[in-house]
Amino acid sequence: MADGESSKEATARTLRNAFGNVLSFFILLLIGVLAFSIRLFSVIKYESVIHEFDPYFNYRVTQFLTKNGIYDFWNWFDDRTWYPLGRVIGGTVYPGLTLTAGTLWWLLNSLNIPLSVETVCVFTAPIFSAFASWATYLLTKEVKGTGAGLTAAVLLAMVPSYISRSVAGSYDNEAVAIFALIFTFYLYIKTLNTGSLFYATLNALAYFYMVCSWGGYTFIINLIPMHVLLCIVTGRYSSRLYIAYAPLVVLGTLLAALVPVVGFNAVMTSEHFASFLVFIIIHVVALVYHVKGNLSPRMFKVAVTLVVSVGLVVCCAMIAVLIALVASSPTKGWSGRSLSLLDPTYASKYIPIIASVSEHQPPTWPSYFMDINVLAFLVPAGIIACFLPLSDASSFVVLYIVTSVYFSGVMVRLMLVLAPAACIMSGIALSEAFNVLTRSIKFQLPGSSGTSQSRDTSLNADGEQNDRAKTEKMDETVKERPSKKNRKKEKEPVEKASIRSRIERRLLVLPLEASVIAIILLVLLGAFYVLSNVNAALRNCIGYSKIKLLRMNSLHHKLLHTFMVKKVHCVWAAAEAYSAPSIVLTTYSRDGGLHVFDDFREAYAWLSHNTEVDDKVASWWDYGYQTTAMANRTVIVDNNTWNNTHIATVGTAMSSPEKAAWEIFNSLDVKYVLVVFGGLVGYPSDDINKFLWMVRIGGGVFPHIKEPDYLMLNLIDFSFLSFCPKRDGQYRIDSQATPTMLNCLMYKLSYYRFVETDGKAFDRVRQTEIGKKYFKLTHFEEVFTTHHWMVRIYKLKPPKNRIRGKTKKSKLKASSTSSSKRSATGKRNPWH
């Protein structure tokens, strides 16, 4: 009878597990569809276009790869960028994104699916967002079980911070790098849980793909050593930890050195030294454990003394070598961006080109709620749940969230790294909450045994960890079977322990009514969260008038409207905010009409059709990639920002008077100058708002450019200095602006003929009338201005012909007039 009941229970458990696996598979499939489809609003609202600035360079490189092949790609010297220096593309670009999109294009065309390269590039990010959601499920499942994994996956599919970098058209390195980051962490945790060399090898390969995709791979190669060191310090060393870490350092470093843009930096820069130091430490610890298992305690002490002394000598030698290598570098072996992460003030003090990038600025507090929404309130609960109980995997995700919170507080761009950690923690928190609530309901159902129900739910909640503990207990009981005489004595404490555990379980049980209400509220909040996304997204994409057919009952609509009015931010808001491409801008008038500003493509099309192929175009570095990709013209600087002196030269030209700027541009063989101006339509990201960064970068190389010369001069009364002129730091373009500001080239190119628009020359971005309204250009001529005045293109006037002859002629004329005056009393010319 007992065997029959046990076999029935095993069969029921097998069917239940099979049904759960199938259900999990379909849920994951729906999560992938959700992650892909929610990122298509940019294509629905606008069209299939590449977004932002950097993706245009990646798109141009992918075009070259698919057209010319991999070997030409590695050896490609691009002479259309950074004129007259050029750029070696194969050795200065992270090739992961380009090779991924090129492989997708090749596979689709091999299957007779003739998609263009642009279409593949547009949809690469949404495809990999689904992969990233599935990788998040795998990682969280290894930490806290299937329920937490599914919850974390659906949260990552909809989190605004990740949507901002993975919408359709966002063809940047982060599109595939976040998937590579999460998948590398998953394989590390999988190796840590299983101790398998197979997963360790896959982990090194995933790390290699991450190195190929994004410079943020240094986060992985520093976070994993930190976790290994934490495990060693807390006494959690095991052979599984060694297998998870040692192959990653050896094989991963060798593979990383094969990437041309990394090369020997994988072993020569300070960002990688922590992994090598921990590599030495873990080998010392492994040696100590091995010796301890083979020697007696007395001999072990002698061996430890010898190992420690030799180890100290070796470590001191290694540290001396590292100090010598680091001291030989002016930045101590760190890159500028890494130093900016360690010291947030470093870039603003020493490298203004890094500080000038908007995504390198520290975030504001509202941006956390904007990017991760309610997950910010669930993260603390997830951290607490990771300590109940604490394992190697849960300690890793805790370390991950702590470090990502710090780095996201330094650079707003690294909110992208925080998003997966926040989703993992929130998934764990919600899963544990559901486990507690469902356990409470099961425990109090009529006709159910509390102990058995609680035991089943605890097994489902704890997962593999409780299974391991159970097997360990069974092994202990097999090894230590009590005799018949001792069985009676052991029955009483066992019964007391079971009663105590039953009482503790009952203390963890919530009231039945509260549990049911809490589950209903969580389900309703999740439904409102998703439905408000769909309703608002359809409203923005299809139009408010067509949404009436999709409205639900009045109560539901009022609830959704309340969520939107109170700005309880959901994923639809992030998708709407982040889906707008920077190259095509839209706005709504007071009557609800839609206005589209397509000035950028209008300007690039004019350059492509009205200028010579070899003409050089100068602009601020933000627009270099777009000019090269869309206008197919040579640029002086672009978004790679690898040469600070070249960028400073352009900044100096923009900050100089017209004649001096003409001489600088003429020396660079520039024929056209492009400026972005938003004063007419209220576009805030124009060159006037970026102008102070041009001054700072130019002044960092050319000392005659000084930022105070462009700031307003006020008279401030000091009691001990009487009236002392002091610049108060206000940046103005009105009548109170400095003469240096009013006469610089950027001011003139932006506001030339601006008074003709409304008669007052009122700048809608700065909310003031400009200071100098009427002026003429002497060395530049306007050749094209877009419909909304957002992009203005000027041509350098050719130098005046025979300048030397004119000066000689003027000198001869002056000397002849002076000699004629002296000989006025002489004879006159008979021919006059």
Side-chain angles (χ1 to χ4, degrees):
M1 293 293 292
D3 294 337
E5 291 179 358
S6 61
S7 62
K8 289 182 180 179
E9 290 180 359
T11 305
R13 189 180 297 107
T14 303
L15 292 175
R16 189 163 54 249
N17 292 335
F19 177 76
N21 293 332
V22 173
L23 184 61
S24 299
F25 173 77
F26 281 105
I27 292 175
L28 284 174
L29 191 63
L30 291 176
I31 289 173
V33 173
L34 173 65
F36 179 81
S37 59
I38 203 172
R39 288 160 172 81
L40 302 182
F41 293 130
S42 59
V43 175
I44 297 172
K45 290 185 61 178
Y46 302 95
E47 56 182 294
S48 180
V49 295
I50 304 293
H51 289 202
E52 301 300 333
F53 302 106
D54 291 359
Y56 276 93
F57 169 76
N58 298 325
Y59 166 58
R60 179 167 170 259
V61 173
T62 307
Q63 276 187 320
F64 185 90
L65 172 66
T66 56
K67 183 179 180 180
N68 299 280
I70 184 67
Y71 292 105
D72 289 338
F73 164 72
W74 290 121
N75 299 311
W76 180 24
F77 178 80
D78 188 8
D79 58 352
R80 290 198 172 274
T81 59
W82 293 93
Y83 180 84
L85 305 175
R87 178 184 176 187
V88 180
I89 299 299
T92 59
V93 68
Y94 288 96
L97 176 67
T98 303
L99 295 177
T100 301
T103 304
L104 287 176
W105 177 84
W106 178 79
L107 288 174
L108 291 172
N109 281 268
S110 300
L111 298 174
N112 291 325
I113 304 176
L115 293 180
S116 64
V117 176
E118 182 182 7
T119 303
V120 174
C121 295
V122 167
F123 292 100
T124 296
I127 292 172
F128 273 83
S129 66
F131 294 164
S133 299
W134 296 336
T136 304
Y137 160 76
L138 294 174
L139 173 58
T140 315
K141 179 184 177 182
E142 289 295 320
V143 178
K144 281 292 182 179
T146 304
L150 292 173
T151 309
V154 72
L155 290 176
L156 185 73
M158 301 167 59
V159 66
S161 179
Y162 186 37
I163 289 178
S164 66
R165 291 283 183 166
S166 58
V167 294
S170 183
Y171 186 59
D172 210 348
N173 291 330
E174 293 87 343
V176 299
I178 295 303
F179 159 73
L181 177 78
I182 301 172
F183 194 63
T184 303
F185 286 158
Y186 156 68
L187 290 174
Y188 170 72
I189 296 299
K190 186 70 174 180
T191 309
L192 192 61
N193 289 337
T194 60
S196 171
L197 269 176
F198 173 74
Y199 287 112
T201 306
L202 291 181
N203 188 24
L205 294 176
Y207 172 70
F208 172 63
Y209 182 66
M210 178 65 185
V211 175
C212 292
S213 301
W214 191 31
Y217 75 92
T218 54
F219 180 68
I220 295 178
I221 205 60
N222 284 278
L223 179 63
I224 292 179
M226 289 172 60
H227 178 252
V228 172
L229 187 62
L230 178 65
C231 291
I232 293 174
V233 171
T234 55
R236 305 181 70 93
Y237 171 80
S238 63
S239 59
R240 293 179 285 105
L241 183 67
Y242 179 84
I243 295 172
Y245 183 69
L248 174 64
V249 175
V250 177
L251 186 58
T253 302
L254 291 175
L255 291 173
L258 298 178
V259 182
V261 70
V262 178
F264 285 103
N265 289 332
V267 294
M268 296 296 292
T269 56
S270 298
E271 287 92 341
H272 303 82
F273 287 165
S275 61
F276 302 142
L277 181 62
V278 176
F279 184 75
I280 296 173
I281 293 174
I282 197 173
H283 276 83
V284 172
V285 173
L287 179 62
V288 169
Y289 274 86
H290 178 72
V291 171
K292 184 178 181 180
N294 295 328
L295 296 180
S296 61
R298 185 175 180 181
M299 294 299 295
F300 174 71
K301 291 181 180 180
V302 177
V304 165
T305 305
L306 179 61
V307 169
V308 169
S309 58
V310 174
L312 286 176
V313 173
V314 174
C315 287
C316 290
M318 292 293 295
I319 292 174
V321 173
L322 292 178
I323 291 175
L325 290 174
V326 169
S328 62
S329 173
T331 59
K332 308 306 179 186
W334 297 87
S335 64
R337 286 183 174 86
S338 299
L339 288 174
S340 300
L341 292 175
L342 299 176
D343 180 10
T345 63
Y346 179 83
S348 59
K349 291 179 181 178
Y350 305 106
I351 313 178
I353 186 63
I354 294 179
S356 66
V357 182
S358 59
E359 60 186 16
H360 292 169
Q361 303 298 320
T364 58
W365 283 111
S367 64
Y368 279 93
F369 188 73
M370 173 72 180
D371 285 342
I372 60 175
N373 193 233
V374 296
L375 306 185
F377 305 102
L378 296 174
V379 167
I383 294 175
I384 295 174
C386 286
F387 284 91
L388 302 172
L390 182 66
S391 62
D392 294 340
S394 59
S395 64
F396 176 78
V397 294
V398 170
L399 190 62
Y400 178 22
I401 187 67
V402 171
T403 52
S404 60
V405 165
Y406 166 75
F407 289 125
S408 67
V410 177
M411 282 188 185
V412 67
R413 179 184 187 182
L414 297 182
M415 293 286 289
L416 185 63
V417 179
L418 173 64
C423 292
I424 291 171
M425 286 299 177
S426 301
I428 292 174
L430 291 175
S431 177
E432 292 297 320
F434 269 102
N435 283 335
V436 171
L437 296 174
T438 54
R439 186 190 307 125
S440 301
I441 294 175
K442 284 184 178 182
F443 196 88
Q444 300 177 64
L445 286 176
S448 62
S449 58
T451 55
S452 62
Q453 296 289 341
S454 60
R455 186 181 299 113
D456 293 337
T457 54
S458 62
L459 285 173
N460 293 330
D462 296 337
E464 297 178 356
Q465 296 176 359
N466 287 0
D467 291 339
R468 293 173 189 160
K470 188 176 180 180
T471 55
E472 289 177 0
K473 289 181 180 179
M474 290 177 65
D475 294 339
E476 291 177 359
T477 54
V478 170
K479 291 179 181 179
E480 300 178 2
R481 290 183 177 178
S483 61
K484 294 181 179 180
K485 296 181 180 179
N486 296 330
R487 285 177 184 175
K488 294 182 180 180
K489 296 181 180 179
E490 292 179 356
K491 282 183 180 180
E492 295 181 359
V494 168
E495 291 177 356
K496 291 181 180 179
S498 62
I499 294 172
R500 189 183 301 110
S501 62
R502 191 178 303 176
I503 294 174
E504 290 177 355
R505 288 170 182 170
R506 284 193 174 275
L507 291 175
L508 294 175
V509 171
L510 298 176
L512 179 63
E513 296 80 4
S515 302
V516 173
I517 293 173
I519 290 180
I520 293 174
L521 287 177
L522 287 176
V523 172
L524 287 177
L525 286 176
F528 286 140
Y529 184 77
V530 175
L531 290 174
S532 60
N533 297 343
V534 176
N535 191 15
L538 289 172
R539 175 177 299 179
N540 287 309
C541 295
I542 302 175
Y544 185 79
S545 60
K546 297 181 181 180
I547 280 296
K548 294 179 181 179
L549 298 175
L550 300 173
R551 287 191 178 180
M552 306 166 197
N553 54 56
S554 59
L555 176 62
H556 185 207
H557 182 71
K558 287 180 180 178
L559 287 172
L560 295 180
H561 183 68
T562 303
F563 271 85
M564 286 181 250
V565 170
K566 292 184 178 180
K567 294 185 179 180
V568 180
H569 186 66
C570 297
V571 176
W572 68 265
E576 171 65 17
Y578 295 129
S579 292
S582 63
I583 199 168
V584 181
L585 307 176
T586 59
T587 185
Y588 292 92
S589 60
R590 294 181 179 179
D591 58 354
L594 178 66
H595 295 279
V596 179
F597 301 92
D598 204 1
D599 290 46
F600 285 100
R601 293 195 294 185
E602 181 184 354
Y604 296 138
W606 186 92
L607 282 173
S608 178
H609 292 92
N610 296 277
T611 61
E612 299 295 333
V613 177
D614 294 332
D615 287 344
K616 284 74 180 177
V617 181
S619 65
W620 192 232
W621 61 263
D622 290 12
Y623 320 106
Y625 280 164
Q626 288 185 349
T627 304
T628 307
M630 302 189 70
N632 194 25
R633 293 298 177 265
T634 304
V635 297
I636 307 301
V637 293
D638 61 22
N639 309 57
N640 187 243
T641 65
W642 68 275
N643 193 315
N644 186 59
T645 303
H646 222 49
I647 296 177
T649 303
V650 176
T652 301
M654 296 294 188
S655 309
S656 302
E658 186 179 352
K659 183 179 180 180
W662 182 90
E663 293 176 353
I664 295 174
F665 283 140
N666 188 54
S667 66
L668 293 172
D669 200 18
V670 172
K671 197 168 184 179
Y672 295 93
V673 178
L674 181 147
V675 295
V676 176
F677 173 65
L680 181 64
V681 297
Y683 177 63
S685 298
D686 62 352
D687 285 341
I688 291 293
N689 275 356
K690 300 174 183 177
F691 178 65
L692 281 184
W693 287 113
M694 303 182 195
V695 175
R696 292 165 185 166
I697 296 170
V701 178
F702 303 99
H704 68 278
I705 300 296
K706 300 178 181 179
E707 182 179 355
D709 295 339
Y710 300 86
L711 303 178
M712 188 182 68
L713 180 65
N714 278 349
L715 294 179
I716 302 178
D717 186 12
F718 291 95
S719 58
F720 56 92
L721 290 177
S722 183
F723 282 92
C724 177
K726 182 178 178 62
R727 302 190 186 278
D728 61 355
Q730 290 189 10
Y731 173 56
R732 305 179 71 98
I733 49 92
D734 55 7
S735 58
Q736 298 184 16
T738 62
T740 307
M741 178 66 200
L742 296 177
N743 292 314
C744 69
L745 180 68
M746 178 55 67
Y747 184 92
K748 288 188 174 182
L749 298 187
S750 297
Y751 292 111
Y752 178 65
R753 295 192 308 107
F754 185 51
V755 70
E756 299 175 9
T757 56
D758 59 356
K760 298 180 180 179
F762 184 81
D763 191 325
R764 296 186 181 180
V765 176
R766 270 63 61 174
Q767 292 297 311
T768 184
E769 292 185 12
I770 65 174
K772 194 174 183 179
K773 302 177 182 179
Y774 302 96
F775 55 86
K776 294 183 178 181
L777 298 176
T778 57
H779 294 78
F780 296 83
E781 60 176 336
E782 181 186 9
V783 292
F784 183 74
T785 297
T786 56
H787 181 69
H788 300 97
W789 282 54
M790 289 182 60
V791 183
R792 312 193 68 183
I793 302 174
Y794 294 85
K795 184 178 181 180
L796 273 71
K797 291 183 179 180
K800 294 182 179 180
N801 193 23
R802 297 174 64 184
I803 297 178
R804 292 183 178 180
K806 288 190 175 183
T807 55
K808 289 181 179 180
K809 188 175 180 180
S810 61
K811 289 181 180 180
L812 290 174
K813 187 176 180 181
S815 61
S816 63
T817 53
S818 61
S819 61
S820 63
K821 287 181 181 180
R822 287 195 299 268
S823 61
T825 56
K827 295 181 179 179
R828 294 181 179 272
N829 193 339
W831 302 102
H832 291 285

